Amino acid sequence: MLSHNQIWEALDRLAERHELTPSGLARRAGLDPTSFNKSKRLSADGRLRWPSTESIAKVLDATGASMEQFLAFMRPDAGLSKPPAGPKENAFPRQGGSIPLLGFAQAGAGGFFDDGGFPAGQGWDVVEFPAAPSQKAGVYALEVQGESMMPLYRDGDVLIVEPGAQVRRNDRVVVRTNEGEVMAKVLLRQSPRSIELLSLNPEHPNRTLELSDVDWIARIIWASQ
């Protein structure tokens, strides 16, 4: 019997195989770009949402995959040797020796990220990356502004962020809400419906957010301290 998680995992792995985000896969299939977003996989009251057979048929047609290949992606070991999903079309290309840089205050405004959380649009500066970024598509930098992340991060520190990377408990992450709030926190717990975040500054409260309220979450992989 097929499970809810298996179906969505297969769609995610099919997207990875074609170096797409779930949003990019939906767009390629002619569907609403948000059709496969994680926030759409549960209803507001917690009920499981399943992709329609019509949506799956359109995805298979758009990617040229067979039903047998789609079913194969449901195996736990399927697709693990493939690279993670990269930025969508028209986003920033893979960088050479420098990466896009943006201030935290600007990151909450619209137009700087695609729907997968990768950098896009105009208005970015650049900063030299401390290690070769060629193996990590879409990495970018955010400059800390203000004292809200003290004592861990100070005003002017630069955080290198990797969108699309798997996040785990106790990872330092950047989270953007659907309302445009951007914050750096520690991921304490993630469930199918919500995430719990530990504040870096003890003067600021911890946060619990519904996944439906989260635009994207990305892992911090380096900081200039």
PDB file of all heavy atoms in Angstrom, residues 14 17-18 20 25 28-29 56-70 73:
ATOM      1  N   LEU A  14      12.013  12.948  -7.998  1.00  0.00           N
ATOM      2  CA  LEU A  14      11.912  13.197  -9.431  1.00  0.00           C
ATOM      3  C   LEU A  14      12.354  14.629  -9.745  1.00  0.00           C
ATOM      4  O   LEU A  14      13.042  14.867 -10.746  1.00  0.00           O
ATOM      5  CB  LEU A  14      10.472  12.969  -9.903  1.00  0.00           C
ATOM      6  CG  LEU A  14      10.216  13.120 -11.412  1.00  0.00           C
ATOM      7  CD1 LEU A  14      11.061  12.131 -12.204  1.00  0.00           C
ATOM      8  CD2 LEU A  14       8.735  12.913 -11.713  1.00  0.00           C
ATOM      9  N   ARG A  17      16.138  14.692  -9.587  1.00  0.00           N
ATOM     10  CA  ARG A  17      16.725  14.050 -10.755  1.00  0.00           C
ATOM     11  C   ARG A  17      16.863  15.037 -11.912  1.00  0.00           C
ATOM     12  O   ARG A  17      17.807  14.971 -12.698  1.00  0.00           O
ATOM     13  CB  ARG A  17      15.866  12.851 -11.177  1.00  0.00           C
ATOM     14  CG  ARG A  17      16.264  12.197 -12.506  1.00  0.00           C
ATOM     15  CD  ARG A  17      17.644  11.569 -12.431  1.00  0.00           C
ATOM     16  NE  ARG A  17      17.721  10.484 -11.494  1.00  0.00           N
ATOM     17  CZ  ARG A  17      17.466   9.211 -11.789  1.00  0.00           C
ATOM     18  NH1 ARG A  17      17.091   8.881 -13.005  1.00  0.00           N
ATOM     19  NH2 ARG A  17      17.595   8.273 -10.865  1.00  0.00           N
ATOM     20  N   HIS A  18      15.910  15.981 -11.996  1.00  0.00           N
ATOM     21  CA  HIS A  18      15.937  16.970 -13.078  1.00  0.00           C
ATOM     22  C   HIS A  18      16.456  18.325 -12.606  1.00  0.00           C
ATOM     23  O   HIS A  18      16.282  19.331 -13.299  1.00  0.00           O
ATOM     24  CB  HIS A  18      14.535  17.107 -13.676  1.00  0.00           C
ATOM     25  CG  HIS A  18      14.085  15.879 -14.408  1.00  0.00           C
ATOM     26  ND1 HIS A  18      14.367  15.643 -15.734  1.00  0.00           N
ATOM     27  CD2 HIS A  18      13.394  14.785 -13.976  1.00  0.00           C
ATOM     28  CE1 HIS A  18      13.857  14.477 -16.104  1.00  0.00           C
ATOM     29  NE2 HIS A  18      13.268  13.932 -15.047  1.00  0.00           N
ATOM     30  N   LEU A  20      15.524  20.319 -10.221  1.00  0.00           N
ATOM     31  CA  LEU A  20      14.445  21.283 -10.025  1.00  0.00           C
ATOM     32  C   LEU A  20      14.025  21.297  -8.561  1.00  0.00           C
ATOM     33  O   LEU A  20      14.206  20.307  -7.845  1.00  0.00           O
ATOM     34  CB  LEU A  20      13.220  20.907 -10.880  1.00  0.00           C
ATOM     35  CG  LEU A  20      13.378  20.941 -12.401  1.00  0.00           C
ATOM     36  CD1 LEU A  20      12.189  20.249 -13.052  1.00  0.00           C
ATOM     37  CD2 LEU A  20      13.498  22.367 -12.902  1.00  0.00           C
ATOM     38  N   LEU A  25       9.313  21.834 -10.609  1.00  0.00           N
ATOM     39  CA  LEU A  25       8.704  20.654 -11.218  1.00  0.00           C
ATOM     40  C   LEU A  25       7.239  20.919 -11.550  1.00  0.00           C
ATOM     41  O   LEU A  25       6.759  20.562 -12.639  1.00  0.00           O
ATOM     42  CB  LEU A  25       8.826  19.464 -10.272  1.00  0.00           C
ATOM     43  CG  LEU A  25       8.237  18.133 -10.770  1.00  0.00           C
ATOM     44  CD1 LEU A  25       8.992  17.627 -11.992  1.00  0.00           C
ATOM     45  CD2 LEU A  25       8.267  17.087  -9.651  1.00  0.00           C
ATOM     46  N   ARG A  28       7.063  23.195 -14.593  1.00  0.00           N
ATOM     47  CA  ARG A  28       7.367  22.491 -15.835  1.00  0.00           C
ATOM     48  C   ARG A  28       6.177  21.662 -16.304  1.00  0.00           C
ATOM     49  O   ARG A  28       5.953  21.508 -17.513  1.00  0.00           O
ATOM     50  CB  ARG A  28       8.592  21.587 -15.671  1.00  0.00           C
ATOM     51  CG  ARG A  28       8.910  20.780 -16.910  1.00  0.00           C
ATOM     52  CD  ARG A  28      10.188  19.967 -16.792  1.00  0.00           C
ATOM     53  NE  ARG A  28      11.379  20.814 -16.755  1.00  0.00           N
ATOM     54  CZ  ARG A  28      12.620  20.333 -16.824  1.00  0.00           C
ATOM     55  NH1 ARG A  28      12.821  19.029 -16.922  1.00  0.00           N
ATOM     56  NH2 ARG A  28      13.646  21.153 -16.784  1.00  0.00           N
ATOM     57  N   ALA A  29       5.406  21.138 -15.362  1.00  0.00           N
ATOM     58  CA  ALA A  29       4.246  20.317 -15.704  1.00  0.00           C
ATOM     59  C   ALA A  29       3.016  21.151 -16.026  1.00  0.00           C
ATOM     60  O   ALA A  29       1.945  20.591 -16.288  1.00  0.00           O
ATOM     61  CB  ALA A  29       3.949  19.343 -14.567  1.00  0.00           C
ATOM     62  N   ILE A  56       0.153  13.945 -11.242  1.00  0.00           N
ATOM     63  CA  ILE A  56       1.257  12.999 -11.436  1.00  0.00           C
ATOM     64  C   ILE A  56       1.417  12.676 -12.917  1.00  0.00           C
ATOM     65  O   ILE A  56       2.544  12.607 -13.437  1.00  0.00           O
ATOM     66  CB  ILE A  56       1.009  11.721 -10.617  1.00  0.00           C
ATOM     67  CG1 ILE A  56       1.078  12.040  -9.116  1.00  0.00           C
ATOM     68  CG2 ILE A  56       2.018  10.639 -10.981  1.00  0.00           C
ATOM     69  CD1 ILE A  56       0.726  10.876  -8.222  1.00  0.00           C
ATOM     70  N   ALA A  57       0.303  12.507 -13.641  1.00  0.00           N
ATOM     71  CA  ALA A  57       0.378  12.223 -15.072  1.00  0.00           C
ATOM     72  C   ALA A  57       1.052  13.366 -15.825  1.00  0.00           C
ATOM     73  O   ALA A  57       1.867  13.142 -16.730  1.00  0.00           O
ATOM     74  CB  ALA A  57      -1.028  11.970 -15.619  1.00  0.00           C
ATOM     75  N   LYS A  58       0.727  14.606 -15.458  1.00  0.00           N
ATOM     76  CA  LYS A  58       1.337  15.756 -16.112  1.00  0.00           C
ATOM     77  C   LYS A  58       2.832  15.842 -15.816  1.00  0.00           C
ATOM     78  O   LYS A  58       3.632  16.205 -16.685  1.00  0.00           O
ATOM     79  CB  LYS A  58       0.634  17.038 -15.670  1.00  0.00           C
ATOM     80  CG  LYS A  58      -0.767  17.196 -16.245  1.00  0.00           C
ATOM     81  CD  LYS A  58      -1.389  18.523 -15.828  1.00  0.00           C
ATOM     82  CE  LYS A  58      -2.754  18.711 -16.488  1.00  0.00           C
ATOM     83  NZ  LYS A  58      -3.377  19.999 -16.110  1.00  0.00           N
ATOM     84  N   VAL A  59       3.215  15.490 -14.580  1.00  0.00           N
ATOM     85  CA  VAL A  59       4.632  15.506 -14.210  1.00  0.00           C
ATOM     86  C   VAL A  59       5.405  14.454 -15.006  1.00  0.00           C
ATOM     87  O   VAL A  59       6.504  14.715 -15.516  1.00  0.00           O
ATOM     88  CB  VAL A  59       4.784  15.268 -12.693  1.00  0.00           C
ATOM     89  CG1 VAL A  59       6.221  14.884 -12.355  1.00  0.00           C
ATOM     90  CG2 VAL A  59       4.377  16.511 -11.923  1.00  0.00           C
ATOM     91  N   LEU A  60       4.836  13.255 -15.114  1.00  0.00           N
ATOM     92  CA  LEU A  60       5.505  12.198 -15.869  1.00  0.00           C
ATOM     93  C   LEU A  60       5.653  12.585 -17.332  1.00  0.00           C
ATOM     94  O   LEU A  60       6.695  12.340 -17.958  1.00  0.00           O
ATOM     95  CB  LEU A  60       4.721  10.887 -15.737  1.00  0.00           C
ATOM     96  CG  LEU A  60       4.618  10.296 -14.327  1.00  0.00           C
ATOM     97  CD1 LEU A  60       3.856   8.971 -14.363  1.00  0.00           C
ATOM     98  CD2 LEU A  60       5.990  10.102 -13.710  1.00  0.00           C
ATOM     99  N   ASP A  61       4.625  13.200 -17.889  1.00  0.00           N
ATOM    100  CA  ASP A  61       4.688  13.622 -19.289  1.00  0.00           C
ATOM    101  C   ASP A  61       5.737  14.712 -19.482  1.00  0.00           C
ATOM    102  O   ASP A  61       6.492  14.705 -20.457  1.00  0.00           O
ATOM    103  CB  ASP A  61       3.308  14.120 -19.737  1.00  0.00           C
ATOM    104  CG  ASP A  61       3.288  14.528 -21.202  1.00  0.00           C
ATOM    105  OD1 ASP A  61       3.543  13.658 -22.066  1.00  0.00           O
ATOM    106  OD2 ASP A  61       3.026  15.709 -21.488  1.00  0.00           O
ATOM    107  N   ALA A  62       5.811  15.659 -18.535  1.00  0.00           N
ATOM    108  CA  ALA A  62       6.740  16.785 -18.660  1.00  0.00           C
ATOM    109  C   ALA A  62       8.195  16.357 -18.502  1.00  0.00           C
ATOM    110  O   ALA A  62       9.095  16.971 -19.082  1.00  0.00           O
ATOM    111  CB  ALA A  62       6.395  17.865 -17.644  1.00  0.00           C
ATOM    112  N   THR A  63       8.438  15.320 -17.698  1.00  0.00           N
ATOM    113  CA  THR A  63       9.812  14.882 -17.438  1.00  0.00           C
ATOM    114  C   THR A  63      10.225  13.682 -18.277  1.00  0.00           C
ATOM    115  O   THR A  63      11.406  13.322 -18.303  1.00  0.00           O
ATOM    116  CB  THR A  63       9.987  14.514 -15.950  1.00  0.00           C
ATOM    117  OG1 THR A  63       9.068  13.461 -15.611  1.00  0.00           O
ATOM    118  CG2 THR A  63       9.725  15.728 -15.064  1.00  0.00           C
ATOM    119  N   GLY A  64       9.256  13.036 -18.930  1.00  0.00           N
ATOM    120  CA  GLY A  64       9.572  11.851 -19.719  1.00  0.00           C
ATOM    121  C   GLY A  64       9.767  10.603 -18.884  1.00  0.00           C
ATOM    122  O   GLY A  64      10.255   9.582 -19.386  1.00  0.00           O
ATOM    123  N   ALA A  65       9.405  10.662 -17.601  1.00  0.00           N
ATOM    124  CA  ALA A  65       9.570   9.506 -16.714  1.00  0.00           C
ATOM    125  C   ALA A  65       8.387   8.549 -16.893  1.00  0.00           C
ATOM    126  O   ALA A  65       7.269   8.963 -17.203  1.00  0.00           O
ATOM    127  CB  ALA A  65       9.656   9.954 -15.266  1.00  0.00           C
ATOM    128  N   SER A  66       8.664   7.279 -16.698  1.00  0.00           N
ATOM    129  CA  SER A  66       7.607   6.271 -16.756  1.00  0.00           C
ATOM    130  C   SER A  66       7.021   6.062 -15.365  1.00  0.00           C
ATOM    131  O   SER A  66       7.609   6.471 -14.356  1.00  0.00           O
ATOM    132  CB  SER A  66       8.165   4.947 -17.273  1.00  0.00           C
ATOM    133  OG  SER A  66       9.085   4.402 -16.339  1.00  0.00           O
ATOM    134  N   MET A  67       5.873   5.403 -15.315  1.00  0.00           N
ATOM    135  CA  MET A  67       5.276   5.093 -14.019  1.00  0.00           C
ATOM    136  C   MET A  67       6.187   4.171 -13.221  1.00  0.00           C
ATOM    137  O   MET A  67       6.288   4.293 -11.992  1.00  0.00           O
ATOM    138  CB  MET A  67       3.899   4.460 -14.204  1.00  0.00           C
ATOM    139  CG  MET A  67       3.202   4.095 -12.889  1.00  0.00           C
ATOM    140  SD  MET A  67       3.007   5.509 -11.751  1.00  0.00           S
ATOM    141  CE  MET A  67       1.696   6.411 -12.590  1.00  0.00           C
ATOM    142  N   GLU A  68       6.870   3.256 -13.897  1.00  0.00           N
ATOM    143  CA  GLU A  68       7.794   2.355 -13.199  1.00  0.00           C
ATOM    144  C   GLU A  68       8.928   3.140 -12.549  1.00  0.00           C
ATOM    145  O   GLU A  68       9.336   2.847 -11.413  1.00  0.00           O
ATOM    146  CB  GLU A  68       8.367   1.319 -14.180  1.00  0.00           C
ATOM    147  CG  GLU A  68       7.366   0.272 -14.656  1.00  0.00           C
ATOM    148  CD  GLU A  68       6.374   0.830 -15.677  1.00  0.00           C
ATOM    149  OE1 GLU A  68       6.644   1.915 -16.253  1.00  0.00           O
ATOM    150  OE2 GLU A  68       5.341   0.183 -15.902  1.00  0.00           O
ATOM    151  N   GLN A  69       9.448   4.134 -13.265  1.00  0.00           N
ATOM    152  CA  GLN A  69      10.508   4.966 -12.682  1.00  0.00           C
ATOM    153  C   GLN A  69       9.978   5.763 -11.494  1.00  0.00           C
ATOM    154  O   GLN A  69      10.669   5.908 -10.478  1.00  0.00           O
ATOM    155  CB  GLN A  69      11.060   5.912 -13.750  1.00  0.00           C
ATOM    156  CG  GLN A  69      11.862   5.207 -14.831  1.00  0.00           C
ATOM    157  CD  GLN A  69      12.225   6.135 -15.974  1.00  0.00           C
ATOM    158  OE1 GLN A  69      11.439   7.010 -16.350  1.00  0.00           O
ATOM    159  NE2 GLN A  69      13.409   5.960 -16.532  1.00  0.00           N
ATOM    160  N   PHE A  70       8.763   6.283 -11.616  1.00  0.00           N
ATOM    161  CA  PHE A  70       8.166   7.039 -10.515  1.00  0.00           C
ATOM    162  C   PHE A  70       8.010   6.153  -9.278  1.00  0.00           C
ATOM    163  O   PHE A  70       8.342   6.560  -8.156  1.00  0.00           O
ATOM    164  CB  PHE A  70       6.807   7.595 -10.944  1.00  0.00           C
ATOM    165  CG  PHE A  70       6.141   8.438  -9.889  1.00  0.00           C
ATOM    166  CD1 PHE A  70       6.573   9.719  -9.612  1.00  0.00           C
ATOM    167  CD2 PHE A  70       5.068   7.936  -9.161  1.00  0.00           C
ATOM    168  CE1 PHE A  70       5.956  10.491  -8.633  1.00  0.00           C
ATOM    169  CE2 PHE A  70       4.442   8.702  -8.182  1.00  0.00           C
ATOM    170  CZ  PHE A  70       4.896   9.981  -7.924  1.00  0.00           C
ATOM    171  N   PHE A  73      11.173   5.584  -7.331  1.00  0.00           N
ATOM    172  CA  PHE A  73      11.612   6.677  -6.461  1.00  0.00           C
ATOM    173  C   PHE A  73      11.036   6.553  -5.055  1.00  0.00           C
ATOM    174  O   PHE A  73      11.454   7.278  -4.146  1.00  0.00           O
ATOM    175  CB  PHE A  73      11.204   8.028  -7.046  1.00  0.00           C
ATOM    176  CG  PHE A  73      12.113   8.518  -8.137  1.00  0.00           C
ATOM    177  CD1 PHE A  73      11.605   8.836  -9.386  1.00  0.00           C
ATOM    178  CD2 PHE A  73      13.477   8.658  -7.922  1.00  0.00           C
ATOM    179  CE1 PHE A  73      12.433   9.288 -10.393  1.00  0.00           C
ATOM    180  CE2 PHE A  73      14.316   9.118  -8.921  1.00  0.00           C
ATOM    181  CZ  PHE A  73      13.792   9.426 -10.169  1.00  0.00           C
TER     182      PHE A  73
END
